[in-house]
Amino acid sequence: MTAPYRLPAVTPGVPLPEWLSARVAMYLRRPAISIQPTVPLAEYGMDSVQALSLCGDLEEEFGLDVEPTLLWDYPTIESLLGYLGQVLADLPTAAGEGVR
């Protein structure tokens, strides 16, 4: 997947799509490369506890306030990245500009 996201690295040197894939893979206990970005995470066995944990990770990492239903509203890595791309682009930076 070639993502059009130009967001800052979450962890130095790790772009958002890779961070998210790695985090999802950790919860699903499978290699990130085995998770297709367009397949609903529930099809891989992601349960409500894992989904809530991922929501907590997103809140902590980005300072977001996300609904507990986030992964039901955006059930794939691709759709979740699209949502995060919009939300994070609208966040003000220290200089008062949106994230790029």
Side-chain angles (χ1 to χ4, degrees), residues 27-59:
Y27 285 118
L28 294 176
R29 296 182 181 174
R30 58 187 307 142
I33 196 165
S34 71
I35 302 169
Q36 297 299 311
T38 57
V39 173
L41 297 176
E43 288 188 26
Y44 290 111
M46 181 165 273
D47 62 29
S48 59
V49 172
Q50 294 164 324
L52 287 173
S53 296
L54 182 59
C55 287
D57 293 344
L58 291 167
E59 288 181 335

Side-chain angles (χ1 to χ4, degrees), residues 4-85:
Y5 311 104
R6 298 186 188 281
L7 299 174
V10 178
T11 304
V14 181
L16 178 60
E18 284 78 10
W19 179 88
L20 183 58
S21 292
R23 191 59 57 131
V24 167
M26 177 190 74
Y27 285 118
L28 294 176
R29 296 182 181 174
R30 58 187 307 142
I33 196 165
S34 71
I35 302 169
Q36 297 299 311
T38 57
V39 173
L41 297 176
E43 288 188 26
Y44 290 111
M46 181 165 273
D47 62 29
S48 59
V49 172
Q50 294 164 324
L52 287 173
S53 296
L54 182 59
C55 287
D57 293 344
L58 291 167
E59 288 181 335
E60 184 177 310
E61 191 70 36
F62 300 105
L64 299 174
D65 185 24
V66 301
E67 295 294 322
T69 59
L70 182 68
L71 270 79
W72 281 265
D73 297 333
Y74 303 96
T76 67
I77 288 177
E78 183 177 78
S79 64
L80 188 54
L81 284 170
Y83 166 78
L84 291 171

